Amino acid sequence: MTVQADAGALFDRARKYERQGRPGEAAAAYAKAAEAVEARGDWTSAVAVRARYARALAAAGSTGEAQRVLDVLDRGAASLPGEVRAGLDAQAAHVLAAAGRTGEAARRAWAAMSGFGSLQDAGRAGAAGLHAARLIVKDAGPRGALQPLRELLARMPPGGDEYRQVAKLLADAERRPDRNHDVLITDPGSAAWGRLAAALAVGAHLAVGNGVSWNSLADHDESAGDDRVLLERDWGITDTESWRKQMDALLDAENSDAAIQMVLDRRGRGTDQRAWRDAIVAWCSERDISDQTVREVVELSGQILRYEARFRADGLLPPDGLVESVYGYDFGRAVNMARWGLNAGYCDAEGAEKCVLTAGHRAHQVYQSWGSFSAGYVLGRMLRFDEGEFGEWYERSLAGHRILTDDPESPWRRMAWG
């Protein structure tokens, strides 16, 4: 077998490993392929293979070594043919992104797009342009990405699928209001469909309220310290053990006041207020509950009726709708607890995803639709914070509900319940 054949076989093997998600083995095969190409004196091809080697190293977690390889290649880049320089820029974008140097990565992807465009290679130019657009959004956020996305789109080959995807990213950024809360954000680098996405959408109320991506667990804004402060301030969580305790309570729907669900369960199928109150009193009498507590839970039923009437007026419930469970409030927060715990370092990605999937599954067991889930979530939140005032807590929750039910890009519009 010739040296050239050896290099080709090694290169094909490395690409196969990449497709199989085995970056460490891919890197080793690329390194051997580069050595084989260098042995025959083909330095131009060797640079292209070494660039793929650097990307595989970064994917395997060896970002420091990948950047060192990239630095060596960059020093000789000026003398390289245009196609090789464009390919080096494209691979460098992936290496730098893996190293957290997102802004630099976006610039290299843009350069790759320009390089491939000058070679009339529309396919690779489009792919590099889409990668640049996603990196720009990740680095600058939707609002900061507006002008760069407009400039990028003006330089992309028009008409292709990548062009349409970048145009959509720009449209999403333009639709975003000038605020960092009560806004729907979809991470273009994370799945917006499928089982995990559907479970993440159960936590979309808080994601919209906080102005974070509903479909991403990892926070790309380097706010791990902020999440640790939030967890300690609002939840008393300071370590993995206390995080797990709160997570289990949310997944078991035990964080909210149990009296709320007891009151809802006494209503049965009817809507008669007197019959409902009689059922609550009877249940309490069987358990020798104090008169003071009985008065409080009966009053709670009246408060629920007032919220439901307002929900129907505002479209949170259909005209004859009722809230049957507030467990959704705990399940929705469980999704966000997974996000906060992951970014604070109190759990790993696998553990966070498992919690999200559990929360989604349990929500789907309790509710029949996104709308009924939302009404249950909002009622649980109101009874915790609003105290019958229909104040800011209510207005913000109603805004979140309307965004999630009205926006064409909302996961609640794009994915069926359950």
Side-chain angles (χ1 to χ4, degrees), residues 191 195-204 214-217 335 339 356:
R195 182 166 168 249
L196 179 60
L200 284 166
V202 168
W214 69 266
N215 65 323
S216 175
L217 277 173
V335 171
R339 177 180 291 116
V356 169

Side-chain angles (χ1 to χ4, degrees), residues 262 266 276-295 297-298:
M262 180 278 290
R266 303 285 73 75
W276 187 14
R277 290 186 176 186
D278 288 346
I280 295 169
V281 171
W283 186 92
C284 292
S285 297
E286 291 171 3
R287 288 157 180 80
D288 197 26
I289 293 174
S290 71
D291 292 343
Q292 175 62 31
T293 301
V294 173
R295 286 192 292 271
V297 293
V298 167

Side-chain angles (χ1 to χ4, degrees), residues 167-179:
K168 182 179 180 301
L169 287 174
L170 175 58
D172 289 344
E174 289 174 333
R175 190 172 63 245
R176 177 190 171 111
D178 188 20
R179 60 175 184 263

Side-chain angles (χ1 to χ4, degrees), residues 82-143:
E83 182 178 6
V84 178
R85 285 201 307 273
L88 175 58
D89 284 328
Q91 303 305 330
H94 289 280
V95 172
L96 293 167
R101 297 162 62 182
T102 316
E104 296 173 69
R107 288 189 286 275
R108 294 299 290 269
W110 192 318
M113 179 193 72
S114 299
F116 288 129
S118 67
L119 297 166
Q120 306 300 309
D121 188 340
R124 286 196 286 180
L130 177 58
H131 190 206
R134 288 171 171 167
L135 288 167
I136 288 167
V137 173
K138 184 176 179 179
D139 182 59
R143 284 180 291 170

Side-chain angles (χ1 to χ4, degrees), residues 48 104 118 131 158 174 199 205 220 228 236 270 272-273 276 279-280 303 323 347 358 364 374 380-381 384 411:
E104 296 173 69
S118 67
H131 190 206
E174 289 174 333
H205 253 295
H220 303 303
R228 283 192 289 269
D272 180 75
Q273 184 174 356
W276 187 14
I280 295 169
Q303 193 173 11
V323 176
C347 68
T358 299
H364 294 149
S374 183
R381 196 180 196 202
R384 172 70 68 91

